[in-house]
């Protein structure tokens, strides 16, 4: 009697050729069993719970919605379900949203057949999967998003201190005295922070610092 534990896999993709290729691939793996297919969000919401798979392979883009929302909805119904997102290209915003939705990993449609099988096995066994290239790209995207939300994030600690004191109306000489630094060093920090904040004049930095202080005060925080 075969004691091999099969990982039950459900495939959701609107491209029939893609589904056919992945199904044919998984049929060659003795430990993986395809228990169903769907080509849309609507079909998947009905068929996946009925099939009770261990892993759902979900295309991120579907004709009547997307795999990210589908992942969230399916995991709400089936908390133990593991989701592998299938995508044609590394859309970092979509990948981040998928992580928040509870996805356990990603694989590109252009990946090697062996990589797809390994990804399903890894996720089916309780692991998570982000390939190094995707992880690097996603982290860079998150860093850029953080910079857009919080431009002060770009500044070094000395530059932040100088910006705060500019906001208090201090001159370079007064800032140098306050920080026990050379005035030339302060001037260098001012030039760098203006460049990083994409500002031309010191008055812009002063107004910006004052606004930050006001916002932080309203939130009960320090600059």
């Amino acid at each position: 009697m075969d004691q091999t534990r099969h990982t039950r896999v459900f495939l959701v993709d609107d491209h029939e050729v893609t589904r056919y290729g992945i199904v044919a691939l998984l049929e060659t793996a003795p430990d993986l069993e395809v228990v169903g297919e769907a080509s849309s969000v609507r079909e998947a919401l009905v068929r996946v719970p009925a099939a009770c798979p261990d892993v759902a392979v979900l295309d991120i883009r579907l004709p009547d919605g997307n795999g990210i929302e589908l992942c969230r909805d399916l995991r709400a119904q089936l908390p133990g379900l593991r989701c592998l997102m299938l995508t044609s290209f590394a859309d970092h915003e979509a990948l981040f949203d998928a992580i928040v939705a509870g996805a356990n990993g990603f694989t590109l449609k252009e990946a090697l057949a062996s990589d797809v099988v390994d990804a399903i096995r890894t996720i089916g066994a309780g692991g998570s999967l982000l390939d190094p290239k995707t992880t690097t790209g996603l982290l860079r995207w998150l860093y850029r998003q953080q910079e857009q939300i919080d431009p002060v994030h770009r500044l070094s600690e000395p530059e932040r201190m100088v910006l705060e004191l500019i906001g208090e109306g201090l001159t370079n000489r007064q800032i140098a005295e306050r920080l026990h630094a050379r005035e030339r060093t302060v001037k260098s920090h001012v030039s760098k922070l203006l460049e990083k904040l994409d500002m031309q004049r010191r008055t812009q930095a002063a107004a910006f610092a004052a606004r930050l202080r006001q916002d932080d005060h309203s939130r009960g925080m320090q600059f």
Side-chain angles (χ1 to χ4, degrees), residues 192-205:
K192 290 179 180 178
L193 72 86
L194 288 176
E195 180 180 355
K196 291 180 179 180
L197 296 176
D198 195 24
M199 296 177 179
Q200 303 297 323
R201 298 182 299 277
R202 184 189 184 94
T203 52
Q204 291 175 290

Side-chain angles (χ1 to χ4, degrees), residues 17-146:
V17 173
T18 300
R19 292 201 313 274
Y20 179 83
I22 294 179
V23 169
L25 170 65
L26 298 185
E27 287 178 344
T28 66
D31 57 325
L32 303 178
E33 177 187 2
V34 178
V35 295
E37 302 174 43
S39 61
S40 67
V41 170
R42 183 177 180 180
E43 289 181 355
L45 288 174
V46 174
R47 296 180 182 177
V48 174
C52 294
D54 301 304
V55 176
V57 180
L58 311 175
D59 190 357
I60 282 188
R61 286 172 173 77
L62 294 165
D64 59 342
N66 63 70
I68 297 170
E69 295 174 357
L70 178 59
C71 173
R72 183 182 297 111
D73 292 342
L74 289 175
R75 283 181 57 82
Q77 295 184 59
L78 305 168
L81 179 66
R82 314 281 295 174
C83 294
L84 173 67
M85 309 308 296
L86 192 63
T87 179
S88 299
F89 57 93
D91 180 337
H92 297 123
E93 183 173 1
L95 296 184
F96 178 76
D97 290 342
I99 291 175
V100 174
N104 304 102
F106 308 87
T107 187
L108 295 174
K109 290 186 177 182
E110 64 186 28
L112 296 175
S114 59
D115 291 339
V116 175
V117 172
D118 288 344
I120 293 174
R121 284 175 174 152
T122 297
I123 288 176
S128 297
L129 183 68
L130 271 177
D131 65 84
K133 183 177 180 180
T134 301
T135 302
T136 299
L138 182 58
L139 290 175
R140 287 176 178 171
W141 178 82
L142 287 172
Y143 185 80
R144 289 195 298 270
Q145 295 300 111
Q146 177 63 33

Side-chain angles (χ1 to χ4, degrees), residues 143-144 146-157 159-160 192-193 195-198:
Y143 185 80
R144 289 195 298 270
Q146 177 63 33
E147 285 193 333
Q148 292 175 9
I149 295 171
D150 177 18
V152 177
H153 181 72
R154 309 171 193 172
L155 305 182
S156 66
E157 187 59 31
E159 290 163 358
R160 293 188 189 205
K192 290 179 180 178
L193 72 86
E195 180 180 355
K196 291 180 179 180
L197 296 176
D198 195 24

